[in-house]
Structure formats: C-alpha cells, structure tokens
Amino acid sequence: MAAYTISRSAFIPAPPEAVYPHVVDFHKWTAWSPWEGLDPSMERTYAGADAGVGAQFSWRGNRKAGAGSMQILEAVEPRSIRLRLVFIKPFKAVNPTGFTFEPDHDGTRVTWAMKGENKGMAAVFARFMDMDKLVGKDFEKGLANLAKVVGQGSM
C-alpha cells in the first residue's frame, strides 16, 4: 500500500462567497467538473440535501467515467468543504477530499485536495502511473473551469 495526497490551488478573482456556492452544490459541478466530458450519457443521481452537509451525488458512466459517489460531510461557509469520495469503478477506493477557500487580495485561493491509498489493482497501476500527475491535471483543469464559471456569474 502506498498513501498519497494530491493537492492543487488556483487564484480566482472573486470573493470566497462567490466561489463557494459552485462547489457546495453538486448540481453546479456539471458546469466546471473536469470529468464532465468523459461520457455525455453518464447517469447522475442526487440525494439528501440540495447542497451542503448531507448532499449526495452518484454517477455511473462508461469505462473512462467509471462509477462512484460523493457526500458532503462538512461545509463551513465560505471557508471549507469536506467530502467522502467513493470510487466503485474502475477501482474501488474511498478518498477523503476537500476544498478550502482563502481570501487572497482581490480574490480567493481555492485548494482542492484528495488523500488515498493504492490497494490491490490500484497499487499495481500506481507503479506505472504517478497519481499526482494523473489526477493533478484533472484538478488543475477543474479549478480553471471553476474560475471561468465564477467569472461568468459576476458579469
């Protein structure tokens, strides 16, 4: 087993109060998630609260999109969100994931982080692929998309 942490940050030129709502509501992730284009026919299911603590999102898609679920465990507006991310396919895994929103001059420093352990087939895969590089690129793309979406909302 190999533990890992993946973390990326980006500056978004808007206050935390303008960025936070786009992350605390899973319904809004379709506008910025880096994985949205992987399967246009992906099935999405929402349960629990509409947003914030208790909100749940499940997906099932093609081989690239895989299947899994997320649940918001903690939401401190507008500073942080803590999620439980569960992957079912292509590999089974549970990854504590979180976002922080820190005021930074005339905007917000958003940090997206995920922890995990490579077990079983994922451990074999990790020998050949660097999880930080692989998932880190997705986090970077997602944060860039989030910045665009937030910018469009402030116009």
Side-chain angles (χ1 to χ4, degrees):
M1 280 186 291
Y4 61 86
T5 299
I6 299 163
S7 180
R8 295 294 188 275
S9 293
F11 175 81
I12 297 180
E17 296 81 9
V19 181
Y20 181 89
H22 294 277
V23 182
V24 77
D25 182 345
F26 289 132
H27 298 89
K28 294 183 178 185
W29 282 48
T30 57
W32 64 266
S33 170
W35 302 292
E36 275 303 309
L38 294 179
D39 181 0
S41 62
M42 182 167 51
E43 297 174 28
R44 294 171 187 83
T45 305
Y46 301 93
D50 288 338
V53 175
Q56 300 173 35
F57 167 67
S58 299
W59 75 94
R60 180 171 302 281
N62 62 20
R63 186 173 177 187
K64 284 184 173 182
S69 65
M70 293 189 285
Q71 180 178 5
I72 296 179
L73 302 176
E74 181 180 79
V76 180
E77 187 174 352
R79 296 186 318 215
S80 64
I81 299 168
R82 191 170 54 87
L83 310 167
R84 180 175 191 261
L85 173 59
V86 177
F87 291 103
I88 299 168
K89 292 182 181 178
F91 301 110
K92 291 185 179 186
V94 176
N95 298 89
T97 302
F99 291 83
T100 58
F101 309 87
E102 297 177 36
D104 185 0
H105 296 90
D106 292 331
T108 304
R109 173 70 46 193
V110 180
T111 301
W112 186 357
M114 179 178 80
K115 294 181 179 187
E117 288 186 35
N118 289 317
K119 300 176 183 177
M121 288 303 295
V124 173
F125 178 75
R127 290 182 182 180
F128 304 101
M129 289 298 298
D130 181 336
M131 289 297 290
D132 185 75
K133 287 182 182 176
L134 184 69
V135 178
K137 288 179 184 177
D138 290 341
F139 282 15
E140 291 166 9
K141 179 180 177 185
L143 290 169
N145 291 346
L146 180 59
K148 288 177 190 171
V149 168
V150 172
Q152 291 168 356
S154 63
M155 292 179 168

